[in-house]
């Protein structure tokens, strides 16, 4: 039964916080032995606490009519459910690494997450239908690619937490995610072609980094399930690398322009929940590459293997520093919010 009444709202995309921090703990953290071996368990426990806090509020919010109905009907924002699914999938993999003794609990979460994914799947088809036929001029952005992210995260979850699925099932679900990715990219490209006078400053969104992030998790799903060929995985890795360079160069130019227009605080350091998507995409590329490197099913050519071994330590630092920077921005925003609330209470 849907409820009415007051409740403390939380951004629907808050699952991205779990995605971003969790993917670091199952990927780039291995480049920092102290964080991995000495404090990794404590960081994983903190992630669990954050998940409980965020998802309990999302659950309360989800059953309220004034949130649920408008949210599900929104042709773009409703794709944020993908962060809920990917967040749980990442958290389950963190549990598998740091708390293997609670495997039954992890598997139970995986089952529940799979049912949520089935609901999300129906929602994806409905909203793609809206965007292609009913709201063709709606300004789509990278959040629509969470359809692919959520889909591929289920493959990673099921293959790691349960057992290796038959290749025909894994490859079919992965191709469904690729189909969603293509649909999303068509909508994003169409948006910028149709929109006259758009600017990097105001119209290029944080979520557009999922353009490469959705492909990275596709790659992780492939190398986690041993589907597709080595050549396919290599070509995909190269495409992702090129997209990272293109998209992040645009992000740097955008940041410079925003600083000129809005200043440092408003232009770069003002918190938005969508900023976590960048941390997730950075971490996901590391995770995809590291799994591909150790999987004997995907032998790398010497030139690529040598390049990855030089590049990945550098990329690990990028992932770590970007995550620490985002955590600082988040904490600063929370402190400012609390200060404003206290001032209002004193008035």
């Amino acid at each position: 039964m849907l409820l009415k009444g007051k409740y403390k709202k939380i951004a629907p995309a808050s699952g991205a916080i779990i995605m971003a921090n969790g993917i670091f703990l199952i990927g780039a953290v291995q480049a920092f032995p102290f964080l991995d071996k000495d404090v990794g368990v404590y960081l994983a426990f903190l992630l669990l606490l954050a998940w409980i806090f965020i998802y309990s509020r999302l659950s309360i919010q989800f059953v309220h009519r004034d949130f649920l109905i408008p949210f599900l009907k929104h042709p773009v924002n409703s794709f944020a459910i993908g962060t809920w699914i990917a967040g749980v999938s990442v958290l389950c993999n963190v549990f598998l690494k740091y708390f293997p003794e609670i495997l039954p609990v992890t598997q139970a979460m995986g089952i529940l997450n799979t049912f949520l994914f089935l609901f999300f799947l129906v929602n994806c088809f409905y909203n793609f239908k809206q965007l292609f036929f009913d709201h063709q001029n709606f300004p789509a952005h990278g959040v629509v690619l969470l359809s692919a992210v959520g889909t591929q995260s289920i493959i990673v979850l099921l293959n790691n937490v349960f057992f290796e699925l038959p290749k025909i099932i894994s490859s079919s679900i992965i191709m469904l995610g690729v189909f969603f990715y293509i649909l999303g990219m068509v909508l994003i490209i169409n948006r910028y072609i149709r929109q006259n006078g758009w600017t990097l400053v105001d119209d290029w969104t944080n979520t557009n980094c999922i353009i490469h992030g959705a492909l990275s998790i596709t790659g992780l799903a492939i190398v986690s399930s041993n589907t597709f060929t080595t050549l396919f995985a290599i070509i995909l890795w190269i495409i992702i690398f090129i997209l990272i360079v293109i998209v992040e160069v645009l992000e740097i130019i955008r940041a410079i322009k925003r600083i000129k227009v809005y200043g440092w605080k408003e232009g770069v350091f003002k918190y938005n929940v969508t900023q976590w998507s960048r941390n997730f995409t950075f971490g996901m590329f590391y995770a995809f590459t590291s799994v591909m490197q150790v999987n004997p099913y995907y032998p790398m050519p010497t030139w690529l293997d040598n390049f990855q071994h030089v590049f990945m330590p550098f990329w690990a630092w990028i992932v770590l520093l970007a995550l620490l920077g985002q955590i600082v921005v988040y904490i600063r925003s929370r402190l400012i919010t609390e200060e404003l609330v206290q001032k209002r209470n004193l008035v």
Side-chain angles (χ1 to χ4, degrees):
M1 179 183 294
L2 297 180
L3 303 178
K4 293 183 179 180
K6 293 183 178 180
Y7 58 95
K8 195 170 183 179
K9 293 185 178 181
I10 184 173
S14 293
I17 299 174
I18 306 301
M19 292 164 57
N21 289 277
I23 197 62
F24 173 77
L25 290 177
I26 59 177
V29 73
Q30 65 187 339
F32 307 97
F34 170 72
L35 294 178
D36 190 14
K37 305 297 182 182
D38 297 330
V39 298
V41 171
Y42 304 105
L43 294 175
F45 182 72
L46 289 175
L47 184 68
L48 171 61
L49 295 180
W51 175 79
I52 293 173
F53 175 76
I54 292 171
Y55 277 66
S56 60
R57 290 181 62 183
L58 284 173
S59 299
I60 294 171
Q61 186 166 282
F62 190 74
V63 297
H64 281 77
R65 183 186 300 273
D66 61 336
F67 166 79
L68 182 62
I69 302 303
F71 175 64
L72 293 180
K73 287 185 175 180
H74 196 288
V76 172
N77 290 348
S78 55
F79 282 99
I81 296 175
T83 66
W84 310 354
I85 296 165
V88 173
S89 295
V90 169
L91 184 67
C92 285
N93 279 280
V94 171
F95 285 173
L96 196 64
K97 177 180 179 180
Y98 290 103
F99 309 115
E101 64 276 5
I102 63 167
L103 181 60
V105 176
T106 304
Q107 291 177 327
M109 291 176 62
I111 292 172
L112 292 174
N113 200 39
T114 302
F115 281 110
L116 177 60
F117 167 71
L118 294 177
F119 170 80
F120 178 57
L121 200 60
V122 174
N123 185 257
C124 285
F125 281 114
Y126 172 74
N127 283 315
F128 274 128
K129 180 258 181 185
Q130 285 199 88
L131 290 169
F132 275 99
F133 299 103
D134 302 327
H135 301 286
Q136 295 179 346
N137 294 321
F138 207 95
H141 51 86
V143 74
V144 299
L145 299 177
L146 288 171
S147 55
V149 171
T151 301
Q152 310 298 20
S153 75
I154 286 295
I155 285 295
V156 177
L157 171 67
L158 296 179
N159 277 283
N160 289 347
V161 174
F162 291 94
F163 50 83
E164 187 173 327
L165 297 173
K167 285 185 172 55
I168 184 65
I169 295 177
S170 292
S171 59
S172 297
I173 297 176
I174 289 171
M175 288 309 299
L176 175 62
V178 172
F179 175 65
F180 284 156
Y181 180 84
I182 293 171
L183 291 181
M185 285 301 299
V186 169
L187 290 170
I188 293 170
I189 293 171
N190 184 60
R191 178 253 177 100
Y192 289 111
I193 289 176
R194 288 192 175 193
Q195 182 178 341
N196 295 322
W198 68 272
T199 65
L200 279 177
V201 172
D202 297 314
D203 301 298
W204 185 264
T205 65
N206 293 318
T207 56
N208 282 346
C209 64
I210 307 177
I211 289 172
H212 56 79
L215 287 183
S216 289
I217 195 172
T218 298
L220 181 61
I222 289 172
V223 298
S224 296
S225 57
N226 294 334
T227 50
F228 301 90
T229 65
T230 300
L231 179 61
F232 186 92
I234 292 172
I235 293 174
L236 179 61
W237 192 92
I238 294 172
I239 290 173
I240 296 168
F241 183 83
I242 293 172
L243 284 175
I244 288 176
V245 173
I246 294 173
V247 172
E248 297 311 318
V249 165
L250 286 175
E251 287 286 353
I252 293 172
I253 296 173
R254 172 179 176 244
I256 294 172
K257 288 180 175 292
R258 285 185 63 84
I259 291 170
K260 290 180 179 179
V261 175
Y262 298 111
W264 283 92
K265 288 184 179 180
E266 291 293 318
V268 177
F269 294 121
K270 184 177 181 180
Y271 175 74
N272 190 295
V273 70
T274 60
Q275 293 163 350
W276 292 101
S277 59
R278 180 173 298 104
N279 301 102
F280 172 74
T281 59
F282 284 5
M284 184 54 69
F285 183 61
Y286 188 100
F288 166 38
T289 307
S290 61
V291 173
M292 184 170 67
Q293 285 178 322
V294 300
N295 189 343
Y297 190 85
Y298 295 96
M300 295 291 102
T302 303
W303 66 268
L304 181 58
D305 185 63
N306 291 338
F307 176 78
Q308 288 179 345
H309 277 89
V310 172
F311 174 75
M312 294 311 290
F314 162 77
W315 190 248
W317 276 102
I318 295 295
V319 175
L320 176 61
L321 294 176
L323 184 61
L324 291 176
Q326 182 59 34
I327 292 173
V328 170
V329 170
Y330 172 75
I331 293 175
R332 176 180 174 274
S333 73
R334 296 298 301 173
L335 293 175
I336 292 174
T337 301
E338 291 297 326
E339 184 179 345
L340 290 175
V341 170
Q342 291 179 4
K343 287 182 178 178
R344 289 171 185 168
N345 290 337
L346 292 175
V347 174

